[in-house]
Amino acid sequence: MAGRKPKPVELHVVAGTFRPDRHSKNAPPPSSDQPRAPEHFDEAHRRYFDEVVARHAELGLASLTYQHVYEMVAVRRVEVDEAAEAIAEHGRVYTTMNKHGEQMVKANPAVAMRSEALRHLQSLYSELGLTPASRGKVGSTKSEKSANPFADLA
């Protein structure tokens, strides 16, 4: 099926665009339980997992419902770090000999791996409403205090 992915109901509610006539009455609500990093995650994975959950909580949307997405974000962030380390150590290109004995310059495979991980990470952030474009569409369930105390007087 072509076209845009449907926006989750809770994002419509947060953005103020929810219309009961356009959404299923049987859609399950998101879980109110808080997500936890899986036991098998190491320190780096846990740090990134906790970071994305905290960023999503700022919008008032952190939920166990998104557990698998938070886990994918953590895994991809670690993959980006590992690929970046490989690129820093070995460079963006390397030289090798072809079958004729001539020197060839080839792209480091870590560059493509990092690029793919970043592309997937961007789509995951967009799915969670954590990119500037998607954040503007989502809004927030938390009320934001105005930095200017006189703004309310206008």
Side-chain angles (χ1 to χ4, degrees), residues 23-29:
H23 297 93
S24 171
K25 294 177 178 80
N26 300 327

Side-chain angles (χ1 to χ4, degrees), residues 29-137:
S31 171
S32 61
D33 296 337
Q34 290 302 305
R36 290 194 187 133
E39 293 295 322
H40 66 276
F41 270 12
D42 62 15
E43 184 181 332
H45 285 89
R46 283 183 195 281
R47 183 177 69 247
Y48 288 132
F49 182 91
D50 292 341
E51 180 183 301
V52 72
V53 170
R55 288 183 61 199
H56 213 212
E58 288 174 7
L59 297 175
L61 297 172
S63 167
L64 191 59
T65 303
Y66 299 107
Q67 175 80 23
H68 66 288
V69 181
Y70 300 144
E71 291 175 18
M72 285 190 285
V73 167
V75 169
R76 282 306 207 174
R77 291 281 306 267
V78 170
E79 288 175 4
V80 168
D81 289 349
E82 291 170 350
E85 287 174 16
I87 294 166
E89 184 178 337
H90 303 289
R92 296 177 62 80
V93 295
Y94 67 97
T95 57
T96 187
M97 296 293 204
N98 67 11
K99 63 182 178 181
H100 303 292
E102 299 167 338
Q103 193 173 27
M104 293 177 47
V105 177
K106 290 189 166 189
N108 184 341
V111 173
M113 292 165 61
R114 182 183 64 177
S115 179
E116 177 59 31
L118 285 169
R119 206 178 339 271
H120 186 214
L121 195 54
Q122 191 276 334
S123 74
L124 292 170
Y125 281 143
S126 182
E127 186 85 17
L128 293 171
L130 296 176
T131 63
S134 64
R135 192 172 197 157
K137 295 175 188 171

